[in-house]
């Protein structure tokens, strides 16, 4: 179903990258963490996505790159990035290529 997401990917737990939703900060950008102990970026598969009528995926992906030590990230799950019929929908392949370094 569209509202259900993977719990594991390639043997790692999937951690949703949390970001602002409708202007309200979510807080901890490192899910699956114990209090005061953020998840280690290389020990989870990060899910990066947005929602219908939510922030632009390009902005969310840029925030992920800024806030998570992506040099340690080994697995990435892309969530919703916009509908094909939306003008200006993100191109996740282009964003991944640009961030490859």
């Amino acid at each position: 179903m569209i509202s259900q997401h993977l719990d594991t990917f390639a043997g790692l737990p999937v951690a949703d990258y949390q970001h602002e939703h409708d202007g309200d900060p979510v807080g901890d950008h490192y899910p699956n963490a114990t209090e005061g102990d953020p998840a280690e970026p290389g020990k989870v598969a990060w899910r990066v996505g947005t929602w219908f009528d939510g922030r632009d995926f390009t902005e969310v992906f840029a925030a992920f790159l800024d806030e998570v030590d992506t040099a340690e990230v080994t697995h990435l799950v892309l969530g919703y990035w916009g509908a094909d019929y939306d003008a200006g929908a993100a191109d996740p392949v282009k964003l991944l290529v640009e961030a490859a370094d």
Side-chain angles (χ1 to χ4, degrees):
M1 292 179 56
I2 196 166
S3 63
Q4 294 178 338
H5 304 158
L6 296 173
D7 293 328
T8 61
F9 179 72
L12 295 175
V14 174
D16 281 323
Y17 168 68
Q18 298 177 9
H19 52 88
E20 291 181 8
H21 178 72
D22 296 331
D24 297 326
V26 172
D28 186 4
H29 293 276
Y30 296 92
N32 296 353
T34 59
E35 201 169 309
D37 181 26
E40 293 182 44
K43 293 191 176 186
V44 296
W46 286 93
R47 180 184 177 278
V48 180
T50 188
W51 50 90
F52 185 74
D53 287 339
R55 285 178 67 191
D56 182 74
F57 182 81
T58 303
E59 293 175 24
V60 173
F61 190 68
F64 172 76
L65 295 175
D66 287 341
E67 296 175 12
V68 175
D69 182 6
T70 56
E72 300 295 320
V73 173
T74 59
H75 295 74
L76 189 62
V77 177
L78 296 183
Y80 181 75
W81 61 78
D84 290 342
Y85 54 80
D86 287 341
D91 179 353
V93 173
K94 179 181 177 191
L95 294 172
L96 288 169
V97 169
E98 290 172 352
D101 289 341

